[in-house]
Amino acid sequence: ASSSALSFPKLCGRASACRRDVGVSMWRPRAGVGAIVAYWCGLALCMSGGTYANLGEALPDLSPAEKLSIYCWWLHLKLWRLPHYRSGHFQNDLIKNLRNVALPGTGLPLSVICWFWPVALLFVWFGIPLAAFGAAVIQWRRGGTTLADAFGAALLTDYPWFTFWRLNCAVASYHALNTLDPGYALEDKMVFLEACAREDVPASPYLRAPKLVIKHRNEEGGLSLHTYKNAAYGGEWIIQNALTNAAPIARLLPKAAPLSTFRLVTASRGCLLPDAKGTTDQHVQVLSACFRAGREGAATDHSCIMFDVDLTRGVIGKGTSNAHWYQLGLTRAWRAPWVTQGHTTEAHPDTGTAIAAERVPDFDRMVQLVRRAHRRLLPGVPLIGWDVALTEEAGMCLLEANLSCNFFRASFEQAAYFSFVEDVLAHLEK
């Protein structure tokens, strides 16, 4: 990818010339022609060996959101066959995590794009602008904007949840590759639980029996016998008793709802210190929070309505969904809506029970828990998505830490987030 025929300085000069020819106004946010020119010029600059700082120097009119949108997709190509902290290579992680995700309306899992680098390259250069154009047409037909402005916003500034997730994944992978921070070992759920025990951080309890045998009550000849070796003894399975929602949470949900968790995302500026062990509480900030209200009969709360949570008051706001991104196959894809209206849901759709305006029990303690966990367990990792449960059996506890984290459509101060990501990239590329 770095063997472009054009040198970086030449590309910078051509980008500046393009900017003069097109006109400065065309390069401002939400401008259609300027957006696609900026996107392609930015990709070319990065592929010629430029850093994030070089991108800003070459295209100074772009906002942090616009620059990071371009650099996000470039990092996916750059990291492609490089080592990854949990999946061998970054490509493997893409294939695993995108196998159940599809662009709305297509029904095609995005993992198919990830089998070959040239296909991914074409998708980044042309597929993403095409998808942005489709989103722009939908927005334009709703009224209130021009098609050009809608396209510019969809391509560079109006991030869907998917782009935020992919940017977080790319930053985590890039940071892990360049720093080899030991905190990334906690992506292993067993290592995480053991670290929580050492640091006195409340986490979901697990059984310590070396092996578990499960068999059907009426089968014979060993046909239904299954043996699971405990991860605590070198096996691959974490064996736990099932946890149930605490009463204040259960009353908001259907009777057959799964354990429904809160996702809090924290950022640690300890990753910018010479030694992350010097991280203090002041270095760790909670960026967002949401409540994943599980659906009736679902096995996990990945099938849910995602309700925003106000960080200052701990009050649950309105909810939304991203289920239309998980419709595989043309039949399911075309039957599902292609877009959602944002946070408009106030009650659980399976019961009609009002959830918006409810106050999260002990929310201040929940915030302090995730901040303390980030500082004590893995202060050198930039971003972590914490799954926090309020349970009958174990009280408030952490289920796991997600280092390539998803905001799950929670609201947050985007300017502060973009500034933090820019600081991480500057730290890695200095």
Side-chain angles (χ1 to χ4, degrees):
S2 60
S3 59
S4 173
L6 290 174
S7 68
F8 181 75
K10 289 181 179 179
L11 280 169
C12 288
R14 293 194 179 189
S16 299
C18 285
R19 200 161 63 248
R20 289 192 298 271
D21 293 340
V22 173
V24 174
S25 62
M26 297 297 293
W27 285 72
R28 289 174 180 162
R30 303 183 64 82
V33 176
I36 191 63
V37 174
Y39 181 77
W40 282 336
C41 283
L43 284 177
L45 292 168
C46 294
M47 293 189 69
S48 71
T51 64
Y52 183 74
N54 296 142
L55 177 63
E57 293 165 2
L59 303 175
D61 300 317
L62 297 187
S63 68
E66 292 169 314
K67 289 182 290 184
L68 287 170
S69 178
I70 297 169
Y71 209 67
C72 167
W73 303 121
W74 156 239
L75 281 178
H76 280 67
L77 299 174
K78 178 178 181 176
L79 297 170
W80 192 260
R81 290 301 296 170
L82 296 178
H84 189 268
Y85 65 91
R86 67 180 177 189
S87 299
H89 296 92
F90 186 72
Q91 179 195 14
N92 297 339
D93 199 65
L94 286 170
I95 293 172
K96 288 196 302 183
N97 282 284
L98 298 181
R99 68 184 186 273
N100 65 337
V101 184
L103 287 175
T106 67
L108 186 69
L110 287 169
S111 58
V112 302
I113 299 168
C114 305
W115 285 102
F116 302 102
W117 191 86
V119 176
L121 176 67
L122 289 173
F123 180 77
V124 168
W125 275 83
F126 302 106
I128 289 175
L130 183 61
F133 182 76
V137 170
I138 295 174
Q139 184 66 29
W140 170 63
R141 292 183 64 182
R142 289 178 173 177
T145 184
T146 67
L147 182 59
D149 283 350
F151 172 68
L155 181 63
L156 292 176
T157 59
D158 289 354
Y159 287 28
W161 72 271
F162 179 79
T163 303
F164 281 117
W165 175 43
R166 294 317 313 164
L167 178 56
N168 289 346
C169 292
V171 169
S173 304
Y174 197 32
H175 183 269
L177 177 68
N178 282 276
T179 66
L180 302 178
D181 190 282
Y184 287 97
L186 273 66
E187 184 73 31
D188 183 312
K189 295 174 175 58
M190 190 70 245
V191 175
F192 170 74
L193 292 174
E194 292 173 339
C196 287
R198 287 194 305 270
E199 295 295 331
D200 195 27
V201 173
S204 54
Y206 59 95
L207 302 180
R208 299 181 183 274
K211 187 181 295 186
L212 189 68
V213 175
I214 299 176
K215 56 185 177 181
H216 193 275
R217 63 193 297 177
N218 288 322
E219 291 284 351
E220 297 181 356
L223 296 178
S224 67
L225 188 144
H226 303 276
T227 301
Y228 298 91
K229 186 176 180 182
N230 198 324
Y233 291 86
E236 296 186 351
W237 300 96
I238 297 173
I239 303 171
Q240 299 174 297
N241 286 318
L243 299 176
T244 57
N245 294 300
I249 303 302
R251 70 179 181 81
L252 304 175
L253 303 168
K255 290 185 178 179
L259 183 65
S260 297
T261 62
F262 294 83
R263 166 60 63 88
L264 280 74
V265 175
T266 54
S268 171
R269 288 193 169 271
C271 71
L272 307 177
L273 299 176
D275 185 352
K277 293 180 180 178
T279 301
T280 66
D281 286 340
Q282 286 67 40
H283 289 109
V284 181
Q285 176 188 6
V286 178
L287 298 181
S288 68
C290 78
F291 171 49
R292 297 189 291 184
R295 302 299 300 270
E296 175 82 31
T300 72
D301 63 359
H302 286 84
S303 176
C304 67
I305 302 297
M306 297 169 287
F307 288 87
D308 210 0
V309 177
D310 187 311
L311 288 177
T312 60
R313 300 183 297 138
V315 174
I316 300 175
K318 295 181 180 181
T320 187
S321 172
N322 62 0
H324 56 301
W325 283 78
Y326 292 88
Q327 305 303 315
L328 301 184
L330 283 178
T331 300
R332 293 182 62 188
W334 280 81
R335 287 178 178 174
W338 289 15
V339 295
T340 62
Q341 298 297 322
H343 290 75
T344 59
T345 302
E346 297 187 16
H348 198 292
D350 297 329
T351 63
T353 301
I355 295 180
E358 290 284 339
R359 189 174 296 275
V360 180
D362 293 327
F363 185 70
D364 288 343
R365 187 160 66 92
M366 188 181 295
V367 168
Q368 293 307 313
L369 170 60
V370 297
R371 292 181 67 201
R372 180 165 63 94
H374 200 155
R375 176 176 61 81
R376 298 184 66 170
L377 297 177
L378 52 178
V381 175
L383 293 162
I384 302 177
W386 303 94
D387 291 338
V388 187
L390 298 178
T391 72
E392 283 293 304
E393 299 81 4
M396 182 186 295
C397 63
L398 301 177
L399 299 187
E400 58 187 52
N402 300 273
L403 312 188
S404 293
C405 59
N406 190 332
F407 287 108
F408 287 114
R409 301 194 68 175
S411 60
F412 56 94
E413 293 186 20
Q414 293 188 14
Y417 164 77
F418 290 136
S419 177
F420 175 72
V421 173
E422 287 190 312
D423 288 345
V424 173
L425 291 175
H427 178 71
L428 295 177
E429 296 180 343
K430 63 183 179 181

